[in-house]
Amino acid sequence: MAAKVISGKQVAEEIRGELKQKVAELKEKGIVPGLGVVLVGEDPASVSYVTSKAKGCEEIGLYEETIRLPADATEEEVLKTVDGLNKDPKISGILVQLPLPDHISVDRVIGYISPEKDVDGFHPVNLGKLLRGEPCPLPCTPHGVKQLLVRSGNDPAGKHVVVCGRSNIVGKPLAAILMQKAEGANAVVTVVHTGAKDISYYTKQADILVAAMGRPNAITADMVNEGTVVIDVGVNRVPDSSKKSGFRLAGDVDYEPVAEKASYITPVPGGVGPMTVTMLLYNTVEAAIWLNQS
Ligand code: NAP
């Protein structure tokens, strides 16, 4: 069987189209959702992420403001900047671009963001709400995975989802999202990690397999059953002398052989990647609606 490819680019475009429409309707009511981004330092990857977020905002009609601080900014300066955005009525969503320099506590900064404006969904209050099944902004990459599944006709309800990886930004929140008794979820979820003696014992039992390990080609064809839906979250730089950059991007899944067995598969790049920024835009619009109701 050759797998159908789930195009994250296509699904992201579909969602951005819906958001553009929603933003236009909100503007008619005098509501303009706004994203405030805090960038500390000039790490090239972070600068590029922030640029793509700003472009996404422009595309769907959001107000956007990026505050750039030098790499030697103090933690107090970063907290003061976040505080300003917390109080700014033009801003419905706040994003602090990670990683932060070592002298700044990520936990302290994330904890300082007003939970109502926490569009990354990383604030402990929102993670608690997520576990309890209460309304909250969902962390963007796991939310993107859920949307890819639902919109490709692979509703997780009643399926066995095996998530490989238990990070706070992907594996754990994804498991929490998909186990909820809710639309587009209600799955039976198993989470595997380096503590598992043999991860293939679990991956072979998956109806839906999500790889979020940060290990290039860790999921090989012998670990996957015929007909499994495979979502590859991994983005890894693999040395490649044929490329000008000296590397190519590879997922956590050994794509070609696994695609021979899977029923659906996401590519890298062009799978989960384009969904992350799109769900950030989604959370910013939802936050604006919520803030104007409360
Ligand atoms: P992370 O914090 O490094 O966590 C990796 C997780 O995978 C850990 O829980 C680790 O287990 C587990 N793991 C690693 N090797 C394993 C193995 N051989 N067998 C079983 N489990 C293993 O990574 P992350 O932040 O979740 O990111 C994962 C990947 O997704 C990375 O490639 C990252 O670049 C990518 N990513 C992509 C997006 C996107 O927008 N597309 C967003 C975020 C992340 P332990 O807990 O036991 O160490």
Side-chain angles (χ1 to χ4, degrees):
M1 180 194 286
K4 288 189 183 137
V5 177
I6 304 174
S7 165
K9 225 174 142 221
Q10 211 172 309
V11 177
E13 265 171 32
E14 186 181 308
I15 296 174
R16 285 183 191 213
E18 293 164 10
L19 289 174
K20 206 170 169 178
Q21 172 80 28
K22 210 175 207 179
V23 171
E25 286 164 17
L26 286 172
K27 281 185 176 170
E28 278 176 21
K29 294 181 197 159
I31 300 168
V32 184
L35 178 68
V37 179
V38 182
L39 174 64
V40 186
E42 286 168 11
D43 170 61
S46 294
V47 171
S48 139
Y49 290 139
V50 166
T51 307
S52 78
K53 284 161 189 170
K55 263 169 109 179
C57 286
E58 195 186 347
E59 186 191 324
I60 67 161
L62 300 188
Y63 171 75
E64 191 271 343
E65 196 177 315
T66 298
I67 301 174
R68 292 166 185 260
L69 298 175
D72 62 357
T74 63
E75 188 172 289
E76 289 312 312
E77 283 169 323
V78 177
L79 295 178
K80 214 173 140 194
T81 305
V82 170
D83 197 38
L85 293 170
N86 280 340
K87 291 176 180 149
D88 187 341
K90 295 194 298 305
I91 299 299
S92 47
I94 300 171
L95 174 122
V96 177
Q97 184 62 48
L98 302 180
L100 288 171
D102 289 345
H103 64 279
I104 298 173
S105 157
V106 174
D107 288 349
R108 197 154 173 235
V109 172
I110 299 296
Y112 216 70
I113 297 173
S114 162
E116 293 79 18
K117 294 190 176 184
D118 165 40
V119 281
D120 254 340
F122 293 158
H123 192 289
V125 165
N126 288 324
L127 290 173
K129 286 185 175 179
L130 169 58
L131 261 188
R132 290 172 55 89
E134 293 174 19
C136 62
L138 300 179
C140 302
T141 302
H143 190 191
V145 171
K146 176 182 171 180
Q147 290 296 327
L148 284 176
L149 289 169
V150 171
R151 290 176 185 249
S152 63
N154 292 293
D155 194 316
K159 302 279 167 51
H160 182 202
V161 180
V162 176
V163 180
C164 301
R166 60 175 163 190
S167 72
N168 287 333
I169 61 166
V170 188
K172 281 184 203 163
L174 179 62
I177 290 170
L178 295 183
M179 73 162 75
Q180 296 302 325
K181 198 168 187 174
E183 210 178 312
N186 216 16
V188 175
V189 183
T190 299
V191 180
V192 299
H193 40 73
T194 58
K197 287 196 180 76
D198 172 14
I199 71 164
S200 69
Y201 171 79
Y202 304 96
T203 57
K204 281 184 201 159
Q205 297 177 45
D207 299 312
I208 297 170
L209 177 62
V210 183
M213 296 183 282
R215 298 279 178 273
N217 302 330
I219 301 293
T220 49
D222 57 312
M223 298 164 76
V224 178
N225 269 344
E226 291 282 341
T228 306
V229 175
V230 179
I231 306 290
D232 191 352
V233 182
V235 181
N236 307 292
R237 285 184 173 192
V238 177
D240 185 340
S241 55
S242 72
K243 302 278 180 200
K244 219 167 103 189
S245 59
F247 67 85
R248 67 185 161 82
L249 291 183
D252 287 351
V253 173
D254 190 11
Y255 186 85
E256 299 292 344
V258 171
E260 284 300 312
K261 291 176 91 176
S263 56
Y264 287 81
I265 193 164
T266 58
V268 177
V272 175
M275 296 299 291
T276 300
V277 175
T278 300
M279 300 328 293
L280 175 83
L281 302 175
Y282 175 93
N283 282 348
T284 306
V285 174
E286 289 299 307
I289 296 170
W290 198 90
L291 285 165
N292 277 280
Q293 278 167 356
S294 55

